[in-house]
Amino acid sequence: MTSASTTTHRTARAGTWQGILLLAGSCMPVLGSVLITPVLPQLSAHFADVQGSEVLVPMIVALPALMIAIFAPFAGQVVDRLGRKTLLIIAMFAYALVGTAPAWLEGLPEILISRVLVGICEAAIMTVCTTLIVDYFHEQRRNRYLAAQTITTTLAATVFIVLGGALGVGGWHTPFWVYAISLVIGIPMIFALWEPRAASGKAAVEVAQRPPVPWRRIAVPLIVSVFGGFAFYVMIIEVSYLVVGTGVPATETSTIGGVAAVASLATAAGGITFARLAKRGERLLLPIGFALQAIGMLIVWAVPALPGLVVGAVIASFGSGLLLPSLVKWVVATTTFAERGRVTGWWTAAFYFGQFLTPVLMGVLSGVLGSLGTAVGVVGIAAAVVAVLVAVALRRAPVVEAPAEETVAA
């Protein structure tokens, strides 16, 4: 190997700084989901005279997740055709522009359009950040960063909810200025990240030939990921309503926030546990993750008091923290460099489509079954069934190892 190529390999070795930036970028879709939830009542009151506002105002939160589900596969196509870094930088800067737009917009239609654009940016950001984590890091370091992605985004969700509530005191416009944080992250990305490419040999040939998406291998994991995204967000979205349902007044925000924070920390603990157990593989961790979700949700249903809710939320959230990086590893980490962007895009679309369905399906289930607690219990039963089905499917499936490939700077 020449000295020039040796230098290329050395400069293309990712470290902690690249990992931090990619983890920070991964928090942007979480920012879009939770930051403004504390000011939704203010928005509902402000737009009360707008026809259909009872449906349109909640869509301010839901639209970005739907746009991620729709546009992430297209982002994956761009990633594999044109590269990773350029798309990420453009999306980070555009995110600051469209994300802060409602801070100075007054019309509900204009705000909804800006939220559509936020979701498109998030689709690109999440797809590229996850793809680059898998590109830059290998074996155990890759597992640690996939786990850290769950931990970081979960803790960020808690911080963003608190921040949105604190800034909301100044009016519903104020929290939207937080979206400008993407500039703080995007600028160092320009200098610290690089465009990877397959180093040599078979991987480089595959890039030139651009193989098709391996649908036969990923179809079932993608379907499971839709349910995983749905189940993952059940406790995140519904925990405050469940707390109030136990008899806690809606004005006791400290109690409601405390339960939400404990559940969030349990999710982070699940992600930390994944990092330690990742070598055991998806055949063990995926069924356990779904099973813990099932147990926690069934406890919430069976013990409809605050202590039962706390215990159930902690168990279910721990399972969610174990589940999310296991799903990413199952679907994405076994891909080749040439197909990774598209596969990551489809996984992102599947998971966030599940997230988008959560408030819709939980609303329907609660209406049909008569209570939110019963609806959570039914989702718990479904999670138990999925745990069994996934365990059987993985036992029968051949073991697919992550490709032993390296990437270098373009």
Side-chain angles (χ1 to χ4, degrees):
M1 181 179 294
T2 65
S3 60
S5 61
T6 301
T7 302
T8 300
H9 274 276
R10 186 179 299 117
T11 57
R13 185 72 63 180
T16 303
W17 179 228
Q18 285 75 26
I20 289 173
L21 289 174
L22 294 175
L23 293 177
S26 299
C27 293
M28 295 302 97
V30 177
L31 176 65
S33 298
V34 304
L35 176 71
I36 61 171
T37 53
V39 298
L40 281 179
Q42 292 185 47
L43 286 162
S44 295
H46 183 78
F47 293 112
D49 295 334
V50 177
Q51 186 176 2
S53 62
E54 65 278 2
V55 174
L56 294 176
V57 170
M59 291 300 290
I60 294 174
V61 173
L63 271 176
L66 178 61
M67 292 303 103
I68 292 174
I70 294 173
F71 286 98
F74 296 100
Q77 293 279 351
V78 175
V79 163
D80 280 342
R81 284 181 179 272
L82 303 178
R84 278 84 153 134
K85 179 180 175 179
T86 301
L87 178 61
L88 178 59
I89 300 302
I90 291 173
M92 292 293 287
F93 279 76
Y95 185 79
L97 176 63
V98 297
T100 58
W104 42 269
L105 292 174
E106 291 293 342
L108 184 55
E110 292 87 347
I111 291 175
L112 290 172
I113 292 172
S114 75
R115 300 300 287 174
V116 169
L117 298 175
V118 162
I120 294 173
C121 292
E122 290 176 348
I125 292 167
M126 193 65 187
T127 299
V128 178
C129 285
T130 304
T131 302
L132 285 177
I133 286 173
V134 179
D135 283 339
Y136 283 179
F137 305 103
H138 305 277
E139 298 176 352
Q140 190 60 24
R141 292 184 74 210
R142 174 185 289 174
N143 293 334
R144 286 198 297 268
Y145 275 103
L146 290 176
Q149 194 177 37
T150 298
I151 298 165
T152 304
T153 55
T154 301
L155 295 177
T158 305
V159 172
F160 290 146
I161 289 173
V162 174
L163 184 60
L167 294 175
V169 174
W172 63 265
H173 288 91
T174 310
F176 287 99
W177 288 111
V178 177
Y179 286 85
I181 196 174
S182 64
L183 296 177
V184 178
I185 303 168
I187 291 172
M189 281 180 169
I190 297 173
F191 305 100
L193 303 184
W194 62 85
E195 182 62 42
R197 61 179 174 81
S200 61
K202 181 181 177 181
V205 173
E206 287 179 345
V207 172
Q209 295 176 344
R210 196 168 177 269
V213 175
W215 290 113
R216 291 184 62 183
R217 191 174 82 236
I218 69 171
V220 171
L222 289 180
I223 293 171
V224 174
S225 294
V226 173
F227 180 81
F230 164 70
F232 183 90
Y233 278 94
V234 165
M235 297 310 300
I236 293 174
I237 292 175
E238 306 295 352
V239 68
S240 60
Y241 297 102
L242 289 166
V243 172
V244 173
T246 65
V248 175
T251 54
E252 289 192 17
T253 54
S254 59
T255 301
I256 296 171
V259 175
V262 169
S264 179
L265 291 174
T267 306
I272 294 170
T273 303
F274 167 83
R276 295 178 178 275
L277 300 180
K279 289 184 178 181
R280 301 290 183 91
E282 299 77 53
R283 293 187 176 188
L284 175 66
L285 299 182
L286 279 171
I288 289 177
F290 280 118
L292 289 172
Q293 282 186 328
I295 292 169
M297 292 180 188
L298 290 172
I299 290 174
V300 170
W301 181 22
V303 188
L306 188 59
L309 170 60
V310 173
V311 172
V314 166
I315 295 173
S317 298
F318 183 87
S320 294
L322 193 63
L323 180 69
L324 178 53
S326 299
L327 284 172
V328 178
K329 187 171 182 287
W330 186 28
V331 182
V332 177
T334 56
T335 57
T336 64
F337 180 85
E339 66 193 19
R340 188 168 297 145
R342 286 166 292 157
V343 172
T344 305
W346 280 107
W347 179 83
T348 304
F351 189 81
Y352 278 89
F353 182 64
Q355 175 187 343
F356 172 75
L357 289 177
T358 302
V360 177
L361 293 182
M362 291 306 292
V364 171
L365 286 173
S366 298
V368 171
L369 299 172
S371 75
L372 178 59
T374 304
V376 171
V378 170
V379 176
I381 294 172
V385 173
V386 171
V388 174
L389 293 176
V390 168
V392 172
L394 288 174
R395 181 167 294 184
R396 293 178 177 178
V399 177
V400 180
E401 298 293 340
E405 59 182 30
E406 293 289 333
T407 58
V408 298

